[in-house]
Amino acid sequence: MAPPTGVTIGQAAAFAGVTVKTLRHYHRHGLLAEPPRDSSGYRRYGSADLLRLVQVRILATAGVPLAETGPLLAAGTEQFTAAVGDVDRRLTEQIAALTARRDTLRRLAEGDRLLLPDRALAILARFTELGFDPDYAVGQREALVLARAVAPELFDIFLTQLEHRLANPEFVLLTKRAWDARSWAPADPRIEELATALADNLLADRERLAVPAGVRLPPDAATRYGLVNHHGEDQSAPAWARLNGLVEARLRAAGVSIPHQ
């Protein structure tokens, strides 16, 4: 009796570098014809079967979808080259997308770096260096995140204003006092005095209060402005909201264009 020719499914899988399960998966998708069985009922894979199996495995490893593998192997040289180029393009796009996702995850691990640029983070660090209350710094961080999202065209201008104001010792002291004013009664006369002092300080650098020429505000600018400048007022004492409102009213009275809801 002649010895069986070819190799078993287990040997074929091992030689081609795949699992038996994967080999059978290729059979189900019609990528590899099932060889005939020997007298013992076992399928025997010849060299042609192994060559086809290796070709399918190489294409699958390269990222070619199984649905495209059969036509690709049957294609002529020019078609094959074009198809491989198309697969290469798609893989490049997938790599770029995965790289972006990985970078996002890395930035997430760094906390605020996902939400704010380095320039804004430097400003937040400055609040800490100047001795502002940690809760105030948290509120400013949230306002910066909101500002970047709802008014991106004004974000850099907003950062420039903050940088200059934090370099003004009088403004720093007035702002710290304004934060302490949260515990005052809304009718406390000191609120009006503080609002006047803050407005005067801001008006002393009036040019920085103006929106630069060429910057077009969106139709809903008042809503966007309110979301940022009045963030947290519903969580704070009413004195804080009144102080903010008085400062804005004094600036408007002085001719500064501030969106008003």
Side-chain angles (χ1 to χ4, degrees), residues 147 149-155 211 214-227 257 259-260:
V150 305
E153 68 281 356
L154 298 176
F155 187 65
V211 176
V215 176
R216 298 181 60 182
L217 296 179
D220 57 352
T223 299
R224 295 169 186 257
Y225 172 83
L227 287 170
S257 178
H260 184 61

Side-chain angles (χ1 to χ4, degrees), residues 17-41:
V18 299
T19 65
V20 171
K21 182 179 179 180
T22 297
L23 194 159
R24 287 178 172 148
H25 186 61
Y26 293 162
H27 280 318
R28 286 195 297 271
H29 279 77
L31 299 175
L32 186 67
E34 293 191 6
R37 299 180 184 274
D38 61 17
S39 58
S40 301

Side-chain angles (χ1 to χ4, degrees), residues 198-227:
L198 277 166
D200 288 345
N201 181 273
L202 292 171
L203 289 168
D205 197 8
R206 189 189 186 99
E207 289 184 0
R208 297 199 180 278
L209 297 175
V211 176
V215 176
R216 298 181 60 182
L217 296 179
D220 57 352
T223 299
R224 295 169 186 257
Y225 172 83
L227 287 170

